[in-house]
Amino acid sequence: MSQGFLALILAAGKGTRFKSDRIKVLHPLLGKSMLQLVVDSVLRLKPQKVYVVVGYQKDEIRKEVQSDKVALVHQKEQLGTAHAVMAASSVLKKDINSDVLIINADLPLVRPQTLKPLLTLHRNQRNSLTFLSAELENPTGFGRIIRSDGKIRVIEEKDASPSVKKIKEVNTGVYLFRVRDLLASLPKVSNQNKKREYYLTDVTGIMAQEGKKISSYKTPNTGEFVGVNSRYELAQAIEVLRERKIRDLTEKGVTVLDPKTTWIDLDVKIGLDTVIYPSVVIEGRSVIGRECRLYPFTHIRDSRLGSGVEILGSTMIENSVIENEARVGPFSRLRPDSIIRKKAKVGNFVEMKNTDLGRKSKAMHLSYLGDTEVKGEVNVGAGTITCNYDGKKKYKTYIDEGAFIGSGTELIAPVKIGKKAYIGAGSTITKDVSPEALAVSRSKQVEKKNWSRRNRKK
Amino acid sequence: MSQGFLALILAAGKGTRFKSDRIKVLHPLLGKSMLQLVVDSVLRLKPQKVYVVVGYQKDEIRKEVQSDKVALVHQKEQLGTAHAVMAASSVLKKDINSDVLIINADLPLVRPQTLKPLLTLHRNQRNSLTFLSAELENPTGFGRIIRSDGKIRVIEEKDASPSVKKIKEVNTGVYLFRVRDLLASLPKVSNQNKKREYYLTDVTGIMAQEGKKISSYKTPNTGEFVGVNSRYELAQAIEVLRERKIRDLTEKGVTVLDPKTTWIDLDVKIGLDTVIYPSVVIEGRSVIGRECRLYPFTHIRDSRLGSGVEILGSTMIENSVIENEARVGPFSRLRPDSIIRKKAKVGNFVEMKNTDLGRKSKAMHLSYLGDTEVKGEVNVGAGTITCNYDGKKKYKTYIDEGAFIGSGTELIAPVKIGKKAYIGAGSTITKDVSPEALAVSRSKQVEKKNWSRRNRKK
Amino acid sequence: MSQGFLALILAAGKGTRFKSDRIKVLHPLLGKSMLQLVVDSVLRLKPQKVYVVVGYQKDEIRKEVQSDKVALVHQKEQLGTAHAVMAASSVLKKDINSDVLIINADLPLVRPQTLKPLLTLHRNQRNSLTFLSAELENPTGFGRIIRSDGKIRVIEEKDASPSVKKIKEVNTGVYLFRVRDLLASLPKVSNQNKKREYYLTDVTGIMAQEGKKISSYKTPNTGEFVGVNSRYELAQAIEVLRERKIRDLTEKGVTVLDPKTTWIDLDVKIGLDTVIYPSVVIEGRSVIGRECRLYPFTHIRDSRLGSGVEILGSTMIENSVIENEARVGPFSRLRPDSIIRKKAKVGNFVEMKNTDLGRKSKAMHLSYLGDTEVKGEVNVGAGTITCNYDGKKKYKTYIDEGAFIGSGTELIAPVKIGKKAYIGAGSTITKDVSPEALAVSRSKQVEKKNWSRRNRKK
């Protein structure tokens, strides 16, 4: 037995109970597909190589698992778990002296620390086969484990006598085989059963008859072996991962005030003493710094926040960067490629897209800045709109340091506002403004006396 | 015994523990009043006729249960459950050979499939009375069921010996009577008790003494017989219905990522492969198509969404229609009678009211369109406002195909913008614009050099 | 034994498992720090005086507990619970004939009604020491209670035999001592143990040996004695308080549709028949009147709402007042010091700051009103912006009764709009407007025919 091992992940099923165009194992849980979660867990055990047996949507699966260590094996027809392993026999053969861990791809809750003891036991005992068993409150549907004379057997539910059915230790379907012994026994599996399928569990019996050394490791982490077969079970599995993730964050010094209403994807990182209010959603590969405060109804995706950042709630941030001590929200929307520099402020009903808001600059009310570069200490007044699109192309706006944009201003791009320039409220700016100049485009205010009396009924 | 049956729903109580001006059974659960839920369950069993015994707020109740099959019976005083049935005796008499199902209106969790076996048993056994029993973990407060010599008795909590109190099978208060036998026994019920009320449970004893055939059906669905007596119990009952609804949706192929924070009214319909993010509220008779995505903090009421629609979060949609592949949000608000046509887009901080946004048209930023008809492929710039109200009346705006409305434009209704017309940014449009014309109302931009140095301190 | 008693709250620990710059007992739960919650519970028992033993962040603690009855005692080093009590011995000595209740500051769930019977028992039995015990499902880690010969002993986990370990009655760490006896025994406590600390539990043994009268009160409210030692446990404690608060509100006649997603701080008050939709957050000292409706994704902080107020969702209100029958939202933001008068309406994408919106006045769309006084029955059109800041100072805007502000108007403060004046849409108003006058600043609309054909490609 070499120290290395292979892994074989069975992902060829369609998952019809999902009633989805997408195969079951590609459905995501907190930002990762079910399959990816199993691949990740297995990779953390450092196998030599991981094979994924696929049936449908091969291209989508390939996109999901992009690792040098992972290769796909195609199973043309789905004729049972043993048949899936047969499909991989030619690649397994290449490491005939190795071991192979076999696991279903619909077990997204299994953690590496749960699989690890199985490997250790298998190697220490020099077994032909070691499988993972668990003691379940409700073992219905699982194969039961019977131990006698130092031997171990699995009896399937359908073959179980009433007394066997009472046994609570079950076969979880996670196996560690010596490759040589597996490949020797595999051809002997028959499909003489109701569904005309080849079952991997039958290998257990065949090996036992042949006097191979079989053992099992009983895991205490029974909750991880719940197969996800429907969208309701998917939601339940997500719930387990969600709680795990939040617990992990709190243990690292993050305050999550209301774990039940907080949704944080698995890859999100959050710094010490950051406080997360109820009803916050953080997705993707977001990184949040230390001592931030995220207020309710905030939605962040694939963004980086520095330290001491405040997100004042009802705010949506996507693919953007927010530097230290900046403040955004409430009711702000940062679209991709926006940068909010140190101590800058974005206020309510403000949208930014591909915009760089300089240090200590402010855009506090009812504005749209698109394709705009704003230098430091600029004040963007309420109702400022960059007209970056003329129906054909997009243009850039540039606002230099210390400029003051009066409220209700349209900046028709391409346009440059000079350093410390001042734009009068209500202006439509079509030409560049010189540094320190006042620019204004405004009609005279005229008054018609007593107009209301004549014209308004109410 | 005829095949048909009557139903009598007891809804005359006020529900003082609710501390509400509205009677208890009119409080809603996921879009339906408590009473309506019981009426719905009963109607699905196809009774000949349903009578609802009412005491308070008769008019409101009538509005709730508008079905030809349902009639109200008034109980002037509330003197107990048997008294409530007496109030209905004259209408019951009309179907003297029928059976009558009697159920309290505060059991909103009871499903038709739970009541069905009661009917079947009653008919097969040709009973005078069959009641629904259940085995409760904590039977305190309920009448206990005693079976001896093939007979059955109910002993009320107050009359129960310690050994009887240990019995866990209880009377749920749901009865199926032969009408003739019920009406014969009813006048014998006495109010010689502490509260001076007439209790329907006493009929059980009377019938037993008279040798009538009494039986019971023990339901396994014990969770459905929790009377809702306080607002806290109301919230708990809502929780059960909410989970039932979401489970049902997931089984039909909808992905609900976070069932705990998702609120979907009972009448809402949702298509295959639609994904619902955390913290989404969908109310009323909304219909959502296939492959839609509803992002967090979305609130939809009484609206129809086609297929492939994206609602980008923090969006409120009421009484509107969104066609296939349209995209709305984030931070959009669609007020009643808005239509978003195929592939049209509504963006952030955009409000529409009674507005029809044409195919592939866009209104992406900070706009208000009220009483407006927008044809296809129109671009409505940021900060566009239809001035549809002059303080007295509301007027219409019409924007023809392919028009481009520059940013920061006010359209003073009534006004028509012609086909492919172009409105310069920052304009106030008071007159109709010809097709293909450029319209602009803008003052010259003037500049005062070095103004900042003289006028700005900072 | 006098009728009065002292209380000693042990708050000197840092709470390293919190991994926070802030000490553990200053972390808030629903608007109150952990320490404040314990102080509040103790104060409701009406002690003569409360001493809080502090170690770190004394100033922050002093700010938290500002009551005449509460004094701080400094413990320079943290050498165990008995050592903390020694630090208070000089102040305790002043009331040598009194009793003293000793409790840890990390028990935020303990209610006064749970502590009350301890006091009563202690006084009735004239004990030297009465401690609070509880029967726990999982007693691991706690000292076990042994009763024999009418005597009572505490055996610490580390000294417990296997049979003692099976005892489920534990010492909760809440004590009531006769001060004289406590101070006599305290110097005898030794630190000859692994951690070299002085443990208060040792006093129990010392007193027992000296024949002092010791008794215990076994509380049924076991859930309240969970020490909060990590942020995850903090979240769990918050969850208990949150549910308690919501249950209390529902019992007082408030409808909370979805308790799981509703967050209401402990000090918030809410009136009869108010309905709270899912995903609402109400913080601080907010007061909500009767028959209000708060729709989803609303966040209210330190504000007062009258009766019949509607908050239409996705709205943020801070430090403001909303009078009866007013309507705010959706997507409104009220910043501090705003007043919305009776029947006034604030609509979507509207921000107010330090603004008084008069009776029946409306600001319905895309507006910013800052430092503004609006009298009654004013219509503030869509896109109205008060330009209250010129880059140096803030100025006031005043809009008199019945005025009509056309859409897309900038009001450049300081400015006054007269009674019933009418501002034409798209105006920039720089000068005061006379009552009943029409004011407008607008350029002529000009049209270039067939411009699109020549200039637009698409």
Side-chain angles (χ1 to χ4, degrees), chain A residues 229-438:
Chain A
N229 291 307
S230 71
R231 297 202 203 215
Y232 194 75
E233 288 170 9
L234 177 71
Q236 288 175 316
I238 289 174
E239 179 61 16
V240 172
L241 290 176
R242 207 182 57 77
E243 213 178 301
R244 244 190 228 168
K245 174 68 183 181
I246 287 173
R247 183 163 199 149
D248 177 57
L249 286 169
T250 57
E251 275 161 12
K252 285 173 177 155
V254 176
T255 289
V256 177
L257 289 174
D258 189 10
K260 285 208 173 47
T261 64
T262 307
W263 176 277
I264 301 176
D265 270 2
L266 296 169
D267 278 342
V268 172
K269 292 188 176 64
I270 305 183
L272 209 71
D273 265 344
T274 282
V275 178
I276 297 175
Y277 271 69
S279 295
V280 165
V281 174
I282 311 176
E283 291 187 284
R285 306 192 161 265
S286 300
V287 179
I288 315 286
R290 297 168 66 115
E291 287 177 63
C292 294
R293 303 206 143 226
L294 309 187
Y295 287 91
F297 319 123
T298 288
H299 184 186
I300 296 173
R301 184 186 292 159
D302 292 318
S303 295
R304 298 185 71 89
L305 276 65
S307 288
V309 169
E310 281 197 292
I311 307 296
L312 296 182
S314 287
T315 283
M316 157 108 220
I317 297 169
E318 196 179 348
N319 236 305
S320 292
V321 173
I322 302 177
E323 293 185 357
N324 295 351
E325 293 162 74
R327 206 176 78 195
V328 177
F331 305 106
S332 308
R333 186 198 185 185
L334 300 185
R335 289 166 57 196
D337 304 315
S338 294
I339 306 179
I340 309 304
R341 301 279 174 190
K342 197 172 168 180
K343 294 191 182 181
K345 291 183 187 174
V346 180
N348 37 219
F349 320 123
V350 174
E351 170 192 3
M352 293 196 185
K353 188 214 86 179
N354 184 28
T355 283
D356 185 333
L357 185 71
R359 232 180 122 100
K360 291 193 185 175
S361 286
K362 299 183 206 175
M364 298 302 281
H365 333 259
L366 292 158
S367 293
Y368 168 52
L369 301 183
D371 307 313
T372 299
E373 187 175 348
V374 181
K375 305 307 280 183
E377 303 197 41
V378 166
N379 188 89
V380 177
T384 297
I385 291 172
T386 55
C387 310
N388 57 331
Y389 181 57
D390 65 357
K392 289 181 279 187
K393 275 184 65 178
K394 303 250 165 155
Y395 301 94
K396 295 207 156 248
T397 299
Y398 179 86
I399 304 176
D400 210 343
E401 239 180 277
F404 182 98
I405 312 297
S407 298
T409 292
E410 288 92 30
L411 299 168
I412 302 192
V415 69
K416 290 189 188 193
I417 310 299
K419 221 164 163 167
K420 291 195 181 177
Y422 193 103
I423 311 292
S427 299
T428 302
I429 298 301
T430 53
K431 296 177 294 189
D432 289 355
V433 177
S434 321
E436 305 211 324
L438 166 71

Side-chain angles (χ1 to χ4, degrees), chain A residues 243 246-248 250-261 272-275 277-279 290-291 293 295-297 312-314 327 329-331 347-349 362 364-366 379 382-384 389-392 404 406-409 422 424-427 442-453 456 458, chain C residues 17-22 27-28 231-232 234-235 238-239 242 260-261 263 279-281 283 297-299 301 314-316 331-333 335 349-351 366-368 377 384-387 389-391 402-404 410 412 420-422 428-443 455-458:
Chain A
E243 213 178 301
I246 287 173
R247 183 163 199 149
D248 177 57
T250 57
E251 275 161 12
K252 285 173 177 155
V254 176
T255 289
V256 177
L257 289 174
D258 189 10
K260 285 208 173 47
T261 64
L272 209 71
D273 265 344
T274 282
V275 178
Y277 271 69
S279 295
R290 297 168 66 115
E291 287 177 63
R293 303 206 143 226
Y295 287 91
F297 319 123
L312 296 182
S314 287
R327 206 176 78 195
F331 305 106
N348 37 219
F349 320 123
K362 299 183 206 175
M364 298 302 281
H365 333 259
L366 292 158
N379 188 89
T384 297
Y389 181 57
D390 65 357
K392 289 181 279 187
F404 182 98
S407 298
T409 292
Y422 193 103
S427 299
R442 195 185 284 169
S443 308
K444 266 231 160 92
Q445 177 178 340
V446 295
E447 197 169 294
K448 293 188 187 170
K449 300 281 184 203
N450 300 319
W451 184 90
S452 283
R453 211 168 297 173
R456 293 179 68 189
K458 202 186 140 192
Chain C
R17 280 184 57 203
F18 262 62
K19 297 187 180 163
S20 177
D21 287 343
R22 200 194 296 194
H27 279 255
R231 296 201 205 214
Y232 194 75
L234 178 72
I238 289 175
E239 179 61 16
R242 208 182 55 78
K260 286 207 174 49
T261 63
W263 177 277
S279 294
V280 165
V281 174
E283 289 189 286
F297 319 123
T298 288
H299 184 186
R301 184 186 292 159
S314 286
T315 283
M316 157 109 220
F331 306 105
S332 307
R333 186 198 185 186
R335 289 167 56 196
F349 320 122
V350 174
E351 170 192 3
L366 292 157
S367 293
Y368 168 51
E377 303 198 39
T384 297
I385 291 171
T386 56
C387 310
Y389 180 58
D390 65 356
F404 182 98
E410 289 92 30
I412 302 193
K420 291 196 179 176
Y422 194 103
T428 302
I429 298 299
T430 53
K431 298 177 294 189
D432 290 355
V433 177
S434 321
E436 305 212 322
L438 165 72
V440 69
S441 92
R442 194 185 285 169
S443 308
N455 290 275
R456 295 178 67 188
K457 263 152 208 158
K458 203 185 140 188

Side-chain angles (χ1 to χ4, degrees), chain A residues 231 351 420 434 436 455, chain B residues 348 365 392 447 452-453:
Chain A
R231 297 202 203 215
E351 170 192 3
K420 291 195 181 177
S434 321
E436 305 211 324
N455 290 275
Chain B
N348 37 221
H365 332 259
K392 290 182 280 188
E447 198 171 291
S452 284
R453 211 168 297 172

